[in-house]
Amino acid sequence: ERMDKDYQKTIKQICILLQSEPTTDVIQGLREAFENLSKQLKAGPFLEVFETTLSNIPFAALFSLLTAPDNRLVVTVSEVSSQLLKPVTWAMVHQTFEEYIIQGLDHPHPVVKCLVLDQFLKCDRDTEPFSPKYGQHIWMCLESKNDTDATKLAKQVLEHLCAVGMATEHLLTDESIGAVKQLLASGGESQRFRIYDVIAAVSAKSDAIFELLRREGIIDMLLKESSADDVLVVMNLYELLPTLCATSASFEYVDNAGVFDNALACIDKAKDDSSVMGSLLRVAGLKLFSRMVDAKGVRPAA
């Protein structure tokens, strides 16, 4: 009888364990087996291991393990799932796993969030199939006191999907806007600015998007940060303004809101302020004006 290859042994072992009661020993066994499978997928031949794995272990079984109470098992199964999903197109991911995508985005473990967020980067045309339900769950991945792999990836995904034209229909639904407002209301400074970064990039896409976000009061929330007492908050806002002012309509709106007048007043006031904060604010204001020269919405008067 032909000897099984190592990866075939591993897959058989996983199949047996999946049918057993999830005792501590079984969980331990699954952890070790998936660690082996992960190495075997890397060692290859990939296609051979890939096909044997998926013809014996359905994705549904893998995804059900992602809810296991064992963090190390969750991490290992995520790694294997990530490798198995590499050759799978976005259209296939969406059609086959729609229900799992939302569960994955809401998953408490960042590794699972990242596994799902990674899939969205494959979606590279606005004609690709997509669910407007995804938007709010992607936005909610930005929720965190500190920057994490998951928040960085969520930001990248939102900016990517906006760049390919998914924003209006899928990322700015009422539910998504609700999620954005909730995150802005509930978060500290780093959470708010993580969202403002995306808002600036998204509204730069078109006047219609800027107008939608203005009507929802989100642009005003952003601009209000310019009168914060915290110098670092003001500096963060100044960083965003050249991106935000991508069209003459957005530039005019920001200008009429008095943000630039405020910045000028700050520069002037900081002349007599010898503190570190004073000079920081002065430099930030001067930098803002020098960078605004390149903002797309600033047109020299004819």
Side-chain angles (χ1 to χ4, degrees):
E1 184 182 322
R2 188 174 59 84
M3 282 292 287
D4 275 348
K5 294 183 177 171
D6 282 348
Y7 73 83
Q8 290 170 319
K9 288 180 192 154
T10 307
I11 290 166
K12 273 187 182 162
Q13 193 191 353
I14 290 173
C15 291
I16 293 164
L17 289 166
L18 285 175
Q19 285 157 19
S20 321
E21 282 295 306
T23 59
T24 356
D25 286 351
V26 167
I27 298 278
Q28 171 73 24
L30 280 168
R31 256 192 346 219
E32 286 165 10
F34 274 108
E35 273 164 22
N36 287 338
L37 185 58
S38 182
K39 286 179 196 136
Q40 287 154 352
L41 274 160
K42 282 189 186 112
F46 178 78
L47 227 88
E48 194 178 299
V49 187
F50 171 83
E51 283 171 352
T52 317
T53 304
L54 286 183
S55 52
N56 288 282
I57 309 168
F59 265 119
L62 290 175
F63 292 151
S64 67
L65 287 173
L66 295 176
T67 58
D70 184 284
N71 267 341
R72 263 189 54 207
L73 179 60
V74 168
V75 170
T76 321
V77 172
S78 293
E79 277 171 12
V80 168
S81 304
S82 170
Q83 292 180 66
L84 292 172
L85 285 168
K86 269 208 179 88
V88 183
T89 62
W90 165 253
M92 281 292 296
V93 170
H94 164 77
Q95 277 151 13
T96 322
F97 308 123
E98 191 170 341
E99 59 186 298
Y100 293 113
I101 288 174
I102 290 171
Q103 286 171 23
L105 292 170
D106 295 348
H107 198 286
H109 202 298
V111 172
V112 181
K113 279 193 203 298
C114 289
L115 165 71
V116 178
L117 286 166
D118 264 331
Q119 306 311 310
F120 285 100
L121 296 175
K122 299 173 178 176
C123 172
D124 51 11
R125 284 189 311 280
D126 60 357
T127 50
E128 298 250 35
F130 206 87
S131 163
K133 281 193 223 134
Y134 297 152
Q136 68 189 100
H137 299 272
I138 303 175
W139 281 104
M140 289 310 288
C141 290
L142 293 175
E143 184 173 27
S144 171
K145 228 193 198 108
N146 307 309
D147 283 339
T148 63
D149 289 346
T151 62
K152 286 178 195 150
L153 189 53
K155 233 178 100 171
Q156 193 190 340
V157 164
L158 286 161
E159 287 172 2
H160 167 77
L161 291 172
C162 294
V164 299
M166 289 288 188
T168 319
E169 256 175 90
H170 298 301
L171 303 177
L172 298 173
T173 57
D174 290 348
E175 292 77 11
S176 289
I177 296 282
V180 169
K181 287 179 176 171
Q182 183 189 328
L183 289 166
L184 289 173
S186 66
E189 178 206 336
S190 75
Q191 179 168 302
R192 292 200 311 279
F193 273 92
R194 201 176 296 132
I195 287 146
Y196 292 146
D197 275 348
V198 181
I199 292 295
V202 177
S203 42
K205 289 284 157 241
S206 76
D207 281 343
I209 294 178
F210 181 86
E211 183 49 33
L212 168 77
L213 292 165
R214 189 198 63 72
R215 275 202 314 272
E216 291 290 349
I218 291 170
I219 301 293
D220 287 349
M221 286 168 104
L222 185 156
L223 296 179
K224 216 166 68 194
E225 305 277 358
S226 72
S227 47
D229 293 332
D230 186 339
V231 176
L232 295 174
V233 170
V234 177
M235 286 167 69
N236 277 335
L237 175 79
Y238 286 175
E239 289 284 311
L240 286 180
L241 290 178
T243 310
L244 185 68
C245 298
T247 70
S248 50
S250 51
F251 171 66
E252 272 166 35
Y253 186 78
V254 173
D255 192 16
N256 291 336
V259 177
F260 299 119
D261 295 340
N262 271 356
L264 276 174
C266 275
I267 293 173
D268 202 38
K269 206 170 72 188
K271 258 192 212 143
D272 312 315
D273 180 351
S274 56
S275 72
V276 174
M277 287 308 167
S279 54
L280 271 177
L281 205 52
R282 185 171 163 77
V283 170
L286 291 167
K287 246 171 79 178
L288 167 67
F289 286 108
S290 68
R291 286 173 66 235
M292 281 306 297
V293 174
D294 299 321
K296 292 197 181 83
V298 183
R299 296 278 171 272

